Amino acid sequence: MLRRHFAAIAVVVALPLALTGCFNGYTAQTTAQTQGGDTVSVNAGDMAVRGLIWVRDVKNPTVVSMSATFVLPVTGTEDELVSVTTEPNGTATITGGPVVVLPGGTANVGFNSEAAVTLYAADPPQSDFLNTTLTFRKAGAVSAQVLVVPAEGQYAKVTPPADPAKGSATPSASPSVSTSAGAE
């Protein structure tokens, strides 16, 4: 009788542990973090691209602007975003100065920055993805499927600069490109 109680207690203690991912080690399905939300995160060499998304201008649906943060570790080498291309729409325009990232620093485009990456004459369906390739001077190129969302809610302040071909302006978010080298 006592053996059965011990066996039942052992099963009650062991079963929850066996059914949880924590018990299965670091490679358990429950410990894997998947891409969350609307944005994409990718790496090109030392360069980390976080919060990457295309935002459609609600006033002119053929214009989409990129919102992203570029992060370089302290051990990295200064780098610069040199081009952005998309399939099927072509080459995006980088305006507002070079997007330079210093070691231990970050640079933003699209929000809290004068720098902007804009694709004109695009017309991707809303909630569709654009195959996007970012090319950095030193880190090289990286491609990802990036979601297109409307400039509403949290993306309302991601607005395109003036279209260089038309000279028309749309208000843009201002401060400046952050290329801080971290706390000193």
Side-chain angles (χ1 to χ4, degrees):
M1 184 79 149
L2 193 55
R3 282 187 189 170
R4 283 190 229 176
H5 281 17
F6 284 129
I9 291 172
V11 167
V12 168
V13 170
L15 189 58
L17 290 175
L19 295 175
T20 63
C22 299
F23 182 75
N24 292 320
Y26 292 110
T27 59
Q29 285 183 325
T30 57
T31 62
Q33 292 183 345
T34 59
Q35 195 75 23
D38 301 330
T39 64
V40 173
S41 294
V42 293
N43 294 331
D46 285 341
M47 184 67 67
V49 180
R50 300 295 178 252
L52 179 59
I53 194 162
W54 286 107
V55 180
R56 179 190 303 281
D57 184 356
V58 292
K59 294 176 185 170
N60 184 356
T62 64
V63 177
V64 292
S65 299
M66 177 184 287
S67 179
T69 299
F70 307 106
V71 183
L72 197 58
V74 175
T75 57
T77 304
E78 180 179 314
D79 209 343
E80 178 181 353
L81 178 67
V82 293
S83 73
V84 177
T85 57
T86 64
E87 283 294 326
N89 297 101
T91 302
T93 304
I94 300 172
T95 56
V99 182
V100 176
V101 189
L102 300 175
T106 62
N108 296 322
V109 295
F111 186 73
N112 286 334
S113 174
E114 290 177 8
V117 176
T118 310
L119 191 58
Y120 297 98
D123 200 13
Q126 196 150 298
S127 299
D128 200 7
F129 292 85
L130 285 176
N131 185 23
T132 304
T133 301
L134 304 163
T135 304
F136 297 91
R137 188 169 312 286
K138 294 181 181 161
V142 62
S143 295
Q145 291 288 323
V146 182
L147 186 64
V148 178
V149 297
E152 298 170 347
Q154 66 186 0
Y155 302 112
K157 292 184 180 181
V158 180
T159 56
D163 182 343
K166 295 181 181 173
S168 63
T170 305
S172 64
S174 45
S176 61
V177 176
S178 169
T179 55
S180 64
E184 299 180 302

